[in-house]
Amino acid sequence: MANKNLFATFRGMLAPKTDAVNEAGGRAYAMTPKQALAQYAATGCLSTTFYASATEQLESVLQLAAEVESEFLAKLAIEARERGRMKDMPALLLAILTTRNLPLAEAIFPRVVDNGKMLRNFVQILRSGAVGRKSLGTAPKRMVRRWLEARSDDALFRDSVGNNPSLTDVLKMVHPKPATKEREALYGYLIGRPHDAGPLPKLVRDYEAFKRGATKEVPAVPFELLTGLELEEEAWRGIARHAGWQMTRMNLNTFARHGVFAHEEMTTMIAKRLADRQAVQKARVFPYQLLVAYKNAAQAIPLEVRKALHAALEIATENVPAIAGKVYVCPDVSGSMHSPLTGANGRTPTSVRCIDVAALISAAILRKNRNAEILPFDTKVVDVHIDPIDDVLWNAEVLAAIDGGGTTVSAPLAKLNKRRATGDLVILVSDNESWADPQHGRGTALMKEWNAFVQRNPNARLVCIDIQPNPTTQAQERIDVLNVGGFSDAVFPLIADFATGQLTAGHWVETIERISLEDAAVA
């Protein structure tokens, strides 16, 4: 008779056999086409990252998109824009959809193209030939015209900032027919053709009067329309007074250089704007963007304003769940994590590094889960003191300051197993390019260590948050393993649902497939 104790222990200890090699050369598991495409959509910015070029990312997305049905492509484009807050990838997915299912592309167009920047991204991608088109074509032109018709005159004028292509270029491509005298005048103004200035929207007339010096009242136009003008300090105060939330966050140092904060009432007004709960939520700001704004704030920026950034960050991380039981958070602090989060795109890369995001996610989870344990790692777990009573900003900076080397994703679990730790949830935050793990046996070292962990903790769950584009994973998805990509606060509700058993097999892909396409026609 077989030894029941032996086989009860052995059951589940064999890690599934690997079937891929990651971009760093380590063993890995290939994601399904839907999983991999969702990963690219949540993290890809079509820029060169530490391990992959922009061209390689584009080729991967095009290949993966060809392997999924049009309905999933449409839902993923919505997910990437509305919840992931991405820019390039949703526009790319929409452009691909125009070559496969035009009615479906038309149905989701307003949800993906929600501002002028997204419109220009969409047009640029179509004209590039990357998805098989080299011009807009009849149906995409119709989509763009409908979008233009739905915008108010003021919104359309504010959309006129930006180039390659500019809104002027777009108008010349699609030839929209104005329905009113005001719109006819605005189109003429934007494309530089003769027009009657009388019916122009008041915002445009105010802007032109300000440019001529006929008035000192700064119009409520985008910052970019004013920066090329000779402006006095009073004008800069006017700009700050009319600025939107995102523009305010991005230009605090500029305001400081032009004397805006020399006036106490301006300081108070800007601080209140930054800390306004509704404004923060409406801006759909990434938590890490507030971290960077706070870190980059010059000494000339008043303490009141810096405190407001701090308050805004707390609001932006409110989606962080409080999770019952023991939680371990394991941020990757290896060398590759010090590369720019959104990669290099030929211009100055973002100052935000992968490690900054991993550190912020870890600190935010600790803030809501005071009994959580933070285990930063490279080839081993790095000893660092993180106090749960310290605020998110401080702890994030402590973690981000660690200067790591190689990558062994299994290191935190190996340490937990060595001390026979108990726990309910393990969260790994990494670029998922593990290569220094032990390479013996049939599976990844992470799955071997995870199987050992769940032998002691049968109800435990593992969440692997990948923050850069990647078609492979170190942990094969199953009922107790969730792979999710992204660096917005939209990741947090998924963690909460998974930790409480509300996500079934398929996990992240399942949440995408729940998105409604009520108005979509299926080809």
Side-chain angles (χ1 to χ4, degrees):
M1 182 176 180
N3 185 326
K4 293 183 179 179
N5 290 332
L6 171 63
F7 285 99
T9 301
F10 190 71
R11 180 169 54 106
M13 291 294 287
L14 282 178
K17 187 177 181 179
T18 56
D19 56 1
V21 175
N22 64 30
E23 290 162 342
R27 287 183 178 182
Y29 300 104
M31 294 181 175
T32 67
K34 287 184 177 181
Q35 289 173 330
L37 190 59
Q39 168 65 25
Y40 277 97
T43 60
C45 298
L46 298 179
S47 300
T48 299
T49 63
F50 191 87
Y51 287 106
S53 70
T55 300
E56 289 169 334
Q57 285 187 52
L58 176 59
E59 290 174 351
S60 295
V61 171
L62 294 175
Q63 181 178 345
L64 290 165
E67 298 181 50
V68 304
E69 63 271 17
S70 296
E71 289 73 19
F72 182 78
L73 204 62
K75 293 176 180 181
L76 183 56
I78 293 170
E79 162 76 18
R81 182 58 188 154
E82 292 185 348
R83 292 197 288 217
R85 307 172 198 168
M86 302 299 285
K87 299 181 180 68
D88 294 343
M89 283 296 176
L92 174 59
L93 296 176
L94 176 62
I96 294 171
L97 200 58
T98 65
T99 69
R100 292 175 45 173
N101 189 321
L102 283 170
L104 200 51
E106 289 191 73
I108 71 166
F109 192 92
R111 296 182 67 176
V112 176
V113 179
D114 55 5
N115 60 35
K117 169 65 175 172
M118 289 301 297
L119 179 72
R120 292 189 294 106
N121 283 354
F122 171 75
V123 172
Q124 180 185 11
I125 289 169
L126 276 187
R127 294 180 70 207
S128 72
V131 300
R133 293 178 176 270
K134 290 190 177 179
S135 62
L136 292 189
T138 301
K141 283 183 179 179
R142 181 173 65 249
M143 297 178 203
V144 173
R145 283 195 294 267
R146 287 177 178 172
W147 187 90
L148 293 169
E149 291 166 0
R151 300 292 275 180
S152 70
D153 291 341
D154 283 359
L156 202 57
F157 179 56
R158 292 189 177 100
D159 287 331
S160 65
V161 299
N163 297 295
N164 300 318
S166 65
L167 182 62
T168 297
D169 295 330
V170 174
L171 291 172
K172 290 179 178 178
M173 289 179 217
V174 303
H175 306 292
K177 294 182 179 180
T180 65
K181 290 183 178 179
E182 291 78 10
R183 184 56 61 94
E184 182 180 8
L186 179 59
Y187 284 158
Y189 171 85
L190 290 173
I191 64 177
R193 289 183 179 175
H195 59 277
D196 183 359
L200 281 173
K202 182 177 183 301
L203 184 63
V204 180
R205 288 184 276 114
D206 290 346
Y207 172 64
E208 288 298 317
F210 181 76
K211 283 171 59 179
R212 295 193 308 270
T215 177
K216 290 189 176 182
E217 181 66 26
V218 180
V221 298
F223 179 73
E224 295 88 343
L225 291 175
L226 299 170
T227 52
L229 308 178
E230 292 289 336
L231 301 175
E232 298 176 354
E233 186 177 298
E234 181 183 350
W236 278 103
R237 292 199 299 275
I239 291 173
R241 192 173 292 111
H242 291 299
W245 192 94
Q246 287 281 26
M247 177 186 153
T248 301
R249 173 187 67 83
M250 296 170 65
N251 290 282
L252 293 174
N253 289 336
T254 300
F255 291 159
R257 286 196 303 271
H258 290 90
V260 171
F261 295 120
H263 300 264
E264 186 176 347
E265 72 278 7
M266 293 299 301
T267 297
T268 300
M269 182 203 71
I270 288 174
K272 286 183 178 179
R273 177 186 298 158
L274 289 171
D276 181 84
R277 178 177 301 277
Q278 289 186 339
V280 173
Q281 293 171 339
K282 183 179 179 181
R284 300 193 298 176
V285 62
F286 288 112
Y288 80 79
Q289 291 173 319
L290 285 161
L291 172 64
V292 174
Y294 183 86
K295 290 171 65 175
N296 291 343
Q299 290 300 314
I301 294 176
L303 179 61
E304 184 179 357
V305 174
R306 282 183 278 143
K307 284 183 176 180
L309 284 172
H310 195 160
L313 178 59
E314 295 293 333
I315 295 169
T317 56
E318 285 181 348
N319 276 344
V320 177
I323 300 166
K326 180 64 177 178
V327 179
Y328 300 97
V329 188
C330 312
D332 182 351
V333 296
S334 64
S336 62
M337 292 288 287
H338 291 259
S339 62
L341 175 69
T342 54
N345 54 14
R347 302 184 295 274
T348 302
T350 174
S351 61
V352 185
R353 304 165 300 166
C354 295
I355 194 171
D356 294 317
V357 173
L360 180 59
I361 290 173
S362 303
I365 291 173
L366 181 64
R367 179 62 178 269
K368 284 289 188 72
N369 301 272
R370 297 298 178 93
N371 293 322
E373 186 174 344
I374 308 296
L375 300 170
F377 68 92
D378 50 13
T379 56
K380 62 184 183 304
V381 173
V382 180
D383 291 329
V384 63
H385 177 67
I386 299 293
D387 195 328
I389 67 172
D390 289 333
D391 61 34
V392 170
L393 281 170
W394 173 262
N395 282 335
E397 290 185 344
V398 170
L399 288 169
I402 300 173
D403 189 11
T407 312
T408 302
V409 172
S410 62
L413 276 166
K415 182 168 184 175
L416 292 174
N417 285 331
K418 186 176 182 180
R419 74 187 203 204
R420 300 197 60 79
T422 58
D424 301 280
L425 180 66
V426 178
I427 302 172
L428 286 165
V429 191
S430 174
D431 60 6
N432 218 22
E433 295 290 359
S434 194
W435 58 269
D437 304 77
Q439 296 291 307
H440 55 78
R442 52 185 280 126
T444 62
L446 178 61
M447 284 306 291
K448 176 185 175 183
E449 297 292 349
W450 177 244
N451 281 337
F453 188 84
V454 296
Q455 285 291 309
R456 295 189 314 278
N457 306 279
N459 296 317
R461 297 193 172 225
L462 172 65
V463 176
C464 299
I465 303 176
D466 197 339
I467 56 178
Q468 286 214 311
N470 203 323
T472 65
T473 177
Q474 290 294 298
Q476 192 174 63
E477 191 150 299
R478 62 191 196 189
I479 193 63
D480 59 340
V481 178
L482 169 66
N483 287 292
V484 61
F487 36 77
S488 78
D489 60 348
V491 171
F492 296 131
L494 285 177
I495 296 174
D497 288 346
F498 182 65
T500 55
Q502 296 181 50
L503 291 183
T504 59
H507 305 320
W508 186 25
V509 168
E510 180 190 69
T511 67
I512 294 168
E513 291 183 325
R514 288 176 187 165
I515 293 173
S516 174
L517 296 175
E518 293 179 359
D519 299 325
V522 180

